[in-house]
Amino acid sequence: MTGPHPSLADLDRLEAEATSRLAQATTTAELRATETSVLGRLHTTLGALTAGQRRQGGALLNGVRARLEAVAAERLATLEAVERRGRAEAERLDLTEVVAAADPSRPARGHLHLVTQTRDELEDTFVAMGFAVVEGPEAETDWYNFEALNMPPAHPARGMWDTLYLRLGAPGTVLLRTHTSPVQVHLMESQRPPIYAVMPGRCYRRDTADARHLPVFHQIEGLVVDRGITFGDLAGTIEAFTNAFFGPGIHSRLRPSYFPFTEPSAEFEVTCPICEGQGCRTCSGSGWLELGGCGMVDPAVFTAVGIDPEVHTGFAFGFGIDRLAQVRAGLADMRSLLDNDIRFLTQF
Ligand code: FA5
């Protein structure tokens, strides 16, 4: 019997060495290169066998190859998982990171947008005055946005709030709400008086963006329905809110206006918080700034939602949150709220 061929005798050592090289590979690329190299050496060993050794040696080598391939496959799975995690970590977008980078004195996290901060403050002020906070849908039917608010089809007032219709249902019946007033209707349909609620949310109009308008903006609506509510309650509530929100030096005034869903209606204005009533560029020298509309709920609206206007009366108001944020922060152009310029956003 011929003794084992020298390279066959080395097989155990070769396998141990190859196993440890495979196990030590730290990247998938390194592992693949190592696998090619150790399997290559096995082939060389096989090629070096004499014809007599090949039968026995071949079987042995095949066993070694299968074990090495199994070791390589296991190591590959581990390394692939590690590399996947690394890639995910490297590609993760930390949207707050830039805040820390722009201003190292601030903690490394983002903060709420100026409009959201203003909305939160408004909610807090009204909650402290005893109001509940209610929300409604942004896609509305014609009934909620117009008809129940005393604007039947072809009513001229609809033109003031021309909007974006959605391809849903019959043409021209579903739209992006033009104001938060439709939430009044949802609320009165689902809840009997007494009602004391504010309704903040996003609104849409076909307005071209300019220094004081955005096509997508925010309003906060107010609704009070109870027995014996008068216009005096409306004026008093607006004044109490103005003092609470802007501070004691700022007052409100109501000027006659028209809205189809309130009667009588008014625009409400506040002392210009920039010049405190002295007259400046922001208030066009008048000392007053218009915030929104208000009035006594029109009996036709009560009838539309099944509330008896002989028993209950109420008032409603609605004003722009972006406009308020603009005034308080002294922004020349409302569009800067949407620019997403970090140098602007970090100031608030
Ligand atoms: C209304 O939308 C009425 N629903 C308000 C109302 C509610 C009246 C309840 C009576 C009772 P008006 O269209 O005037 O009214 O809008 C109210 C406020 O929303 C405006 O004063 C302004 O602050 C804000 N606003 C309106 N359009 C825009 C716009 N394109 N961009 C930013 N703010 C806007």
Side-chain angles (χ1 to χ4, degrees):
M1 217 176 117
T2 40
H5 189 278
S7 49
L8 203 53
D10 285 345
L11 208 56
D12 279 352
R13 193 180 45 78
L14 198 115
E15 182 178 353
E17 209 181 278
T19 306
S20 108
R21 276 182 67 198
L22 290 171
Q24 278 167 20
T26 52
T27 64
T28 52
E30 186 189 336
L31 180 77
R32 288 202 178 93
T34 308
E35 189 181 5
T36 310
S37 137
V38 298
L39 293 182
R41 273 188 70 188
L42 268 187
H43 277 285
T44 316
T45 310
L46 187 65
L49 294 182
T50 63
Q53 289 171 323
R54 252 189 215 145
R55 177 172 304 177
Q56 185 212 357
L60 277 176
L61 283 172
N62 280 342
V64 174
R65 179 192 301 129
R67 286 196 292 281
L68 289 180
E69 280 173 352
V71 170
E74 198 185 318
R75 184 73 188 146
L76 184 67
T78 309
L79 291 176
E80 274 178 349
V82 169
E83 287 176 7
R84 230 185 351 262
R85 271 201 301 279
R87 254 195 325 273
E89 187 60 29
E91 287 168 7
R92 191 166 64 95
L93 264 188
D94 182 354
L95 297 174
T96 62
E97 205 166 54
V98 69
V99 173
D103 180 358
S105 67
R106 293 177 78 137
R109 57 187 166 83
H111 66 281
L112 297 176
H113 188 274
L114 178 60
V115 172
T116 312
Q117 291 178 33
T118 310
R119 173 191 157 147
D120 286 353
E121 272 182 63
L122 287 166
E123 285 182 16
D124 287 349
T125 308
F126 281 112
V127 166
M129 289 168 69
F131 286 74
V133 179
V134 177
E135 288 188 38
E138 291 177 20
E140 279 292 8
T141 59
D142 188 87
W143 165 258
Y144 287 102
N145 198 79
F146 292 124
E147 222 166 307
L149 291 168
N150 203 23
M151 282 178 275
H155 191 288
R158 285 182 176 222
M160 295 199 297
W161 293 294
D162 201 3
T163 186
L164 306 151
Y165 285 85
L166 300 174
R167 278 205 201 109
L168 272 178
T173 54
V174 183
L175 52 112
L176 292 173
R177 69 179 176 194
T178 58
H179 49 176
T180 42
S181 300
V183 192
Q184 287 187 36
V185 181
H186 286 287
L187 187 56
M188 288 190 281
E189 279 179 348
S190 64
Q191 189 186 317
R192 295 291 94 183
I195 294 172
Y196 292 80
V198 287
M199 297 144 264
R202 208 174 281 138
C203 306
Y204 304 81
R205 290 188 192 178
R206 260 180 32 179
D207 286 347
T208 304
D210 65 20
R212 293 173 62 76
H213 295 88
L214 297 172
V216 181
F217 60 100
H218 302 78
Q219 285 188 341
I220 186 162
E221 191 85 6
L223 177 68
V224 166
V225 185
D226 209 338
R227 290 169 192 264
I229 298 292
T230 68
F231 198 89
D233 295 315
L234 166 60
T237 304
I238 297 273
E239 177 67 9
F241 158 74
T242 305
N243 295 161
F245 188 75
F246 291 101
I250 308 293
H251 297 284
S252 62
R253 73 175 186 185
L254 301 178
R255 296 205 313 166
S257 185
Y258 169 76
F259 294 99
F261 34 92
T262 46
E263 179 60 35
S265 303
E267 300 281 356
F268 79 86
E269 300 181 335
V270 297
T271 316
C272 174
I274 309 271
C275 62
E276 300 196 337
Q278 299 307 301
C280 67
R281 224 161 45 106
T282 307
C283 60
S284 312
S286 72
W288 293 92
L289 270 179
E290 182 200 309
L291 271 195
C294 61
M296 299 305 289
V297 178
D298 194 293
V301 176
F302 281 141
T303 307
V305 296
I307 291 178
D308 185 352
E310 295 298 325
V311 178
H312 290 103
T313 52
F315 65 77
F317 56 83
F319 56 90
I321 301 180
D322 317 73
R323 194 68 63 79
L324 192 61
Q326 178 183 21
V327 168
R328 284 225 306 177
L331 309 179
D333 196 319
M334 196 184 269
R335 287 170 292 193
S336 46
L337 291 171
L338 295 186
D339 283 345
N340 265 352
D341 184 333
I342 201 74
R343 291 164 303 181
F344 170 81
L345 294 172
T346 47
Q347 293 175 50
F348 305 103

